[in-house]
Amino acid sequence: MDGTAQRTLLITLTGRDRPGVTSRLFGTLSEFPVTVADVEQVVIRGRLVLGVLVAYADGADIGRVWTAAERVATDLDMEIELSTGRDRAVPRRRGRLHVTVLGAPLLPAAMAGIAGQIAANGANIDRIERLASYPVTCIELDVSGADAAGLRAALAREAAERQVDVAVQPGGLHRRAKRLIVMDVDSTLIQGEVIELLAEQAGCLPEVAKVTEAAMRGELDFEGSLRERVALLAGLDAGALEVVRDRIELAAGARTMVRTLKRLDYKFAIVSGGFTQITDALVSDLGIDYSAANTLEVEGGRLTGRVVGPVIDRAGKASALERFAREAGIPVSQTVAIGDGANDLDMLQAAGLGIAYNAKPVVRQAADTAVNVPYLDTILFLMGISREEIEAADAADPSIA
């Protein structure tokens, strides 16, 4: 279009959804000298709302188009609304973003607050879509005309007040380009901390738990705190490792998340300040592509209280992410990192998208976005993967348990 005003007819069909509605309307419109200027379609609880904007030249007999569209609505037993006007081609607004809202439950007041903040930041909501109704309700908004950093800050404050999770990401194909997910293990992929389970076997849980908590808050150097905690395990029978392996419980939704990503051809990695004696079993069980963790030294069937080789600490996790990306042939900008503790900060900041999962305050503040619901598979929604796509992947490839 040359930017001059053009005559338009907006056709809105509403009624019970069924196959063939869209093709029937466009088939009818194809009989007339009109062009398609815009289309929007949504289905809510089996009810279809289809809007089609067509443009036509001055002098065209639009009355015939109007009558034909009404006939389609009558035949399909649907309601129709028609309106004519003049539409000037408007340049696409800059600053296109995806805003993802997660709530359990998601209340109208939360959506009102989010929409209000978007408007207050001078942005416009172009499209709204539901990605999931369980295990949480997830709504995605396509937003234009916003400054990403300013909108993210405003929505973070609103989300905290409304007790929902909100993520702001660049629009377009940016999210779908992310092909490598790198995840922390303890208190992220699995429930609890492995070293505390070992400490329980060794009878020194209170001492170890105290140091772990301080380290996760970022109050202690991770390497020093790890060596201090491992030293308390000296003399523990190596059979305790098998006992702990059997006690490991995956986070809710973890298996669904890994399974879905593998079926959709993503690469999945874990990086842990914990121990290979535990993570190797997770790699085998879940079919994980890459992993890095510390190794406990064992001599004479007992733990020595030392780790073997360099410690996987905060910087080590970021280095592992970069190494995994190189091995996968994926730019670091196309990676997603997920973690909960201060030890994950460098990794979260290095990735294309850093997600704080049920994380400590210092981590939530530093990450690109935070998820605070107890379902790990909700992270799929932040990547634009809907519940329907998850179920379709399951149906298409039931061989992956």
Side-chain angles (χ1 to χ4, degrees):
M1 295 296 176
D2 60 7
T4 59
Q6 55 183 329
R7 291 184 178 275
T8 60
L9 173 65
L10 176 60
I11 305 166
T12 306
L13 280 177
T14 307
R16 182 176 61 84
D17 187 33
R18 88 244 15 210
V21 173
T22 305
S23 62
R24 173 70 185 278
L25 178 59
F26 279 109
T28 297
L29 293 175
S30 68
E31 301 171 7
F32 302 96
V34 298
T35 59
V36 178
D38 200 0
V39 182
E40 190 76 31
Q41 177 174 309
V42 65
V43 177
I44 302 177
R45 296 294 185 184
R47 189 166 180 82
L48 170 71
V49 180
L50 170 61
V52 177
L53 183 71
V54 295
Y56 59 95
D58 286 336
D61 186 1
I62 200 61
R64 294 179 59 235
V65 181
W66 188 297
T67 300
E70 288 182 325
R71 187 179 304 117
V72 169
T74 299
D75 291 348
L76 295 174
D77 192 24
M78 301 182 77
E79 298 174 10
I80 189 169
E81 181 180 342
L82 301 107
S83 61
T84 58
R86 286 185 176 272
D87 210 19
R88 182 176 296 277
V90 179
R92 182 179 290 269
R93 291 165 64 96
R94 303 181 66 180
R96 300 184 65 81
L97 302 168
H98 291 297
V99 176
T100 309
V101 184
L102 302 172
L106 181 59
L107 301 177
M111 289 302 297
I114 297 299
Q117 288 296 336
I118 291 171
N121 277 264
N124 186 66
I125 299 173
D126 300 325
R127 186 169 182 268
I128 302 176
E129 179 184 9
R130 188 196 73 182
L131 292 185
S133 59
Y134 69 94
V136 300
T137 300
C138 177
I139 304 295
E140 184 170 88
L141 301 87
D142 288 353
V143 174
S144 59
D147 169 69
L151 184 60
R152 183 178 290 114
L155 292 183
R157 292 190 295 270
E158 189 70 26
E161 180 178 343
R162 302 293 182 178
Q163 296 185 320
V164 295
D165 295 328
V166 177
V168 179
Q169 302 177 65
L173 298 176
H174 183 81
R175 289 176 308 167
R176 292 293 188 145
K178 291 182 168 60
R179 307 306 300 178
L180 171 66
I181 287 74
V182 183
M183 179 176 290
D184 175 42
V185 175
D186 290 19
S187 298
T188 305
L189 182 64
I190 66 173
Q191 300 179 38
E193 300 283 329
V194 166
I195 197 165
E196 293 184 4
L197 295 175
L198 290 170
E200 187 177 354
Q201 297 290 310
C204 58
L205 178 57
E207 298 95 317
V208 167
K210 183 178 180 181
V211 178
T212 298
E213 185 64 23
M216 292 300 99
R217 290 195 304 264
E219 297 172 1
L220 297 176
D221 166 74
F222 180 81
E223 179 173 352
S225 71
L226 178 68
R227 294 189 186 279
E228 179 182 346
R229 288 173 289 169
V230 170
L232 293 169
L233 304 179
L236 180 64
D237 191 296
L241 292 167
E242 185 173 349
V243 173
V244 168
R245 276 197 297 268
D246 291 341
R247 290 182 59 189
I248 291 296
E249 293 185 28
L250 294 173
R255 194 174 294 276
T256 296
M257 178 182 183
V258 178
R259 180 178 66 231
T260 299
L261 291 170
K262 289 182 66 64
R263 286 172 172 167
L264 296 177
D265 201 30
Y266 289 75
K267 296 295 185 181
F268 193 90
I270 55 175
V271 57
S272 176
F275 312 110
T276 57
Q277 286 93 340
I278 304 301
T279 59
D280 286 352
L282 294 170
V283 169
S284 176
D285 178 33
L286 297 174
I288 291 168
D289 299 292
Y290 308 100
S291 69
N294 299 302
T295 299
L296 291 167
E297 185 179 65
V298 178
E299 292 182 356
R302 294 188 176 276
L303 275 61
T304 66
R306 297 185 294 270
V307 293
V308 178
V311 167
I312 302 293
D313 58 5
R314 177 169 164 169
K317 286 191 170 186
S319 296
L321 179 145
E322 293 167 354
R323 182 173 73 254
F324 298 153
R326 287 196 301 271
E327 292 177 9
I330 294 171
V332 172
S333 62
Q334 293 180 9
T335 63
V336 177
I338 306 162
D340 74 305
N343 196 38
D344 301 312
L345 281 171
D346 288 6
M347 175 177 74
L348 297 179
Q349 292 170 349
L353 175 66
I355 302 174
Y357 178 71
N358 292 317
K360 308 299 184 291
V362 66
V363 183
R364 292 199 301 268
Q365 293 167 10
D368 294 314
T369 190
V371 172
N372 297 297
V373 294
Y375 309 105
L376 196 55
D377 52 334
T378 58
I379 287 171
L380 294 170
F381 307 145
L382 301 185
M383 301 166 64
I385 300 171
S386 70
R387 173 56 62 183
E388 286 74 18
E389 288 176 293
I390 295 171
E391 293 172 351
D394 283 350
D397 187 5
S399 62
I400 301 178

